[in-house]
Amino acid sequence: MRRSRGISPPYNKNTASSTVLRLPIPAQVHIPMKMHSGKPAIPVVKVGEDVKLGQLIGEMGGYVSSPIHASVSGCVQSINDRDPVTGQKAVSITIASDGLNTLCPNIKRPNVRTLQEFYDAVRDSGAVGLGGAGYPAAPKLAIKNLEELDYMLINGAECEPYVTSDTNTMVADAKHVYVGVKLLMEFMMPKKVCICIEDNKTKAIQIMQETFAYDSNVEVCVLPTLYPQGERKVLVQNITGRIVPEGARLADVGVNVTNVTTVAVFARYIATGLPLIKKVVTVDGPAVKSPSNVLAPIGTPIRELFDICGGFVDEMPKIVLMGGPMMGYAQPSLDVPVVKTTNCLIACTDSSSLRKKVTACIKCGRCLSVCPMRLMPPGIETSYRTKNYEALKRLRVNMCVECGCCAYVCPAQRHLVQVIRLAKERLWLEGK
């Protein structure tokens, strides 16, 4: 097996043992219809309509899509065709809460007796890849040749610094992780299930080992702490020794990877009928007074999560990231809502977010030595800037997982990840 590559940044898992704070019912939620890969959901409610907690407000827009449910009870205030924060063209529904959180009377446990009913339940739960990828869970699990499924990897690696929301799932919601894994074993019948956890999460490892102590087909695989250990292709290689070829799907090598919180979400839906309407979000960073994990309704403005954590050390943070520091995105406003894929919010102070000057590449080769996919980031950067698209193909730019390891170790502070993203897009446009 090839030796893993990656980096070991300061992990700062400050909230790993923190008690989850429950956010009060927000006065208003802003729920985008596009919180997943694929087609956006289509609104099925009207302005002025009263909705209940858990009610369907957006139906799937296609096979690769996900339903959206009301995270509070109240009145539909508006249905926008542009994001009110960024101005981008994106449909969203704003609900004014009545403060009651009255449960929708249609909420009921689904009947799950066949494989198709299992897929239907996963779909109806609203579950997507909750590690950040956002791919709808149902089509991801719908593998054509189940008899060729050798490994089901339950991804609890959570390798990015600061983020501990998946760790919280394994520690505080082991019951639903267990139920979800047993459902996968019953209906998809993989030859082996692996719960994948990095070795810096000792409590989660202990609880998962105790939870699955009597299941011989389930193994808790303890991995060395190394970013990006949790990236799906890297995880497949490190657990199974199999390499996912360029353009291939994980199922092509007999593997499926599903996030541990995603498993708990559809298990809870099958047990209770309550779909995905809340998320545990890690709130941390140098600018946060009291870092913690916060349970928040989807659609809640992120400022309310910072408020319940004591606010900021300074008046206003320099940068707020949604997601981890390696792959997260800077946010334009504190009015941005929590979405299904929000697992972490990081607020940075002026001193912690200062940008260094970009200088010329010195050909040191550090980026090559840490790239988990064994690519050549400097060559990709040069080929993009010279518009050499054939070279981009030869350099396998589409194999890049955009983990940011190359940019992290670059002494010249080159914006390698951003350039690689642009190169992928340009290559796709050229192909069209």
Side-chain angles (χ1 to χ4, degrees):
M1 188 187 303
R2 298 193 299 179
R3 183 176 63 86
S4 299
R5 290 182 177 182
I7 57 174
S8 298
Y11 282 93
N12 297 323
K13 301 284 189 178
N14 307 311
T15 59
S17 301
S18 69
T19 302
V20 175
L21 302 178
R22 289 181 174 270
L23 199 72
I25 300 172
Q28 186 183 80
V29 292
H30 176 73
I31 304 178
M33 295 291 100
K34 176 73 168 171
M35 294 189 280
H36 49 264
S37 302
K39 298 282 188 180
I42 301 168
V44 293
V45 292
K46 298 178 181 178
V47 174
E49 183 177 339
D50 287 331
V51 295
K52 305 301 182 186
L53 184 70
Q55 180 179 331
L56 182 73
I57 60 173
E59 65 182 9
M60 293 170 56
Y63 176 67
V64 181
S65 186
S66 183
I68 310 291
H69 303 83
S71 58
V72 296
S73 62
C75 181
V76 177
Q77 200 169 46
S78 62
I79 299 177
N80 313 292
D81 61 359
R82 288 194 178 274
D83 189 290
V85 178
T86 65
Q88 294 179 335
K89 189 171 177 58
V91 177
S92 59
I93 296 174
T94 301
I95 302 173
S97 172
D98 58 14
L100 301 175
N101 265 3
T102 305
L103 192 65
C104 177
N106 295 331
I107 297 292
K108 61 179 182 179
R109 293 177 55 185
N111 288 320
V112 179
R113 295 159 299 185
T114 66
L115 177 62
Q116 187 56 54
E117 288 176 341
F118 171 66
Y119 287 149
D120 292 344
V122 173
R123 176 198 65 204
D124 295 341
S125 72
V128 301
L130 297 176
Y135 196 87
K140 185 176 184 178
L141 293 174
I143 300 170
K144 290 183 179 178
N145 301 318
L146 282 179
E147 65 276 6
E148 297 177 7
L149 181 60
D150 297 325
Y151 291 91
M152 174 69 71
L153 306 186
I154 309 302
N155 191 351
E158 200 165 49
C159 57
E160 278 214 69
Y162 290 105
V163 192
T164 63
S165 52
D166 283 344
T167 300
N168 175 266
T169 296
M170 292 183 282
V171 171
D173 200 12
K175 171 188 172 183
H176 285 117
V177 174
Y178 178 80
V179 172
V181 169
K182 297 298 282 185
L183 286 165
L184 290 169
M185 293 173 68
E186 178 183 354
F187 292 107
M188 297 187 66
M189 295 182 288
K191 296 178 179 65
K192 187 171 184 179
V193 176
C194 298
I195 315 291
C196 309
I197 314 175
E198 285 187 318
D199 59 13
N200 62 351
K201 302 168 182 66
T202 52
K203 190 171 183 181
I205 292 168
Q206 177 190 344
I207 290 176
M208 288 293 100
Q209 287 175 336
E210 292 171 353
T211 300
F212 293 98
Y214 302 104
D215 286 279
S216 58
N217 289 331
V218 180
E219 179 183 358
V220 177
C221 296
V222 180
L223 299 159
T225 300
L226 186 72
Y227 177 83
Q229 188 77 261
E231 201 287 324
R232 60 195 184 105
K233 292 182 180 178
V234 176
L235 197 65
V236 168
Q237 179 180 319
N238 290 344
I239 295 293
T240 71
R242 302 177 184 184
I243 297 173
V244 183
E246 184 174 3
R249 300 170 64 227
L250 269 60
D252 296 332
V253 296
V255 185
N256 182 275
V257 178
T258 301
N259 172 264
V260 67
T261 302
T262 302
V263 170
V265 164
F266 67 67
R268 190 181 303 112
Y269 173 75
I270 291 171
T272 68
L274 194 64
L276 175 58
I277 54 175
K278 293 183 179 181
K279 273 298 300 290
V280 171
V281 180
T282 300
V283 181
D284 205 341
V288 179
K289 281 187 179 178
S290 302
S292 186
N293 280 313
V294 180
L295 180 63
I298 288 169
T300 304
I302 61 174
R303 70 169 67 250
E304 297 190 26
L305 281 73
F306 287 113
D307 287 345
I308 201 173
C309 292
F312 302 114
V313 175
D314 299 320
E315 277 191 26
M316 187 60 67
K318 182 70 174 177
I319 295 177
V320 171
L321 296 176
M322 185 176 286
M326 300 301 298
M327 298 184 73
Y329 288 87
Q331 299 303 301
S333 164
L334 294 180
D335 294 322
V336 169
V338 171
V339 296
K340 288 184 179 183
T341 54
T342 305
N343 59 358
C344 185
L345 296 169
I346 300 174
C348 304
T349 59
D350 283 352
S351 59
S352 64
S353 59
L354 289 175
R355 283 176 138 187
K356 296 180 180 179
K357 184 180 178 181
V358 177
T359 58
C361 174
I362 61 172
K363 307 294 190 293
C364 65
R366 293 183 191 178
C367 55
L368 280 70
S369 67
V370 300
C371 177
M373 308 311 292
R374 289 170 163 72
L375 304 179
M376 297 180 62
I380 292 172
E381 182 186 36
T382 299
S383 300
Y384 170 74
R385 299 198 187 283
T386 58
K387 300 183 179 180
N388 188 341
Y389 304 124
E390 288 303 316
L392 287 176
K393 292 178 185 177
R394 289 197 305 273
L395 292 168
R396 301 181 300 141
V397 65
N398 285 321
M399 284 289 285
C400 174
V401 297
E402 301 176 20
C403 63
C405 289
C406 54
Y408 184 85
V409 300
C410 179
Q413 306 296 316
R414 308 293 297 174
H415 298 159
L416 295 170
V417 180
Q418 291 90 333
V419 170
I420 289 172
R421 285 174 181 158
L422 291 170
K424 286 181 175 181
E425 183 177 355
R426 175 52 60 184
L427 198 60
W428 180 77
L429 291 171
E430 288 295 315
K432 287 193 74 176

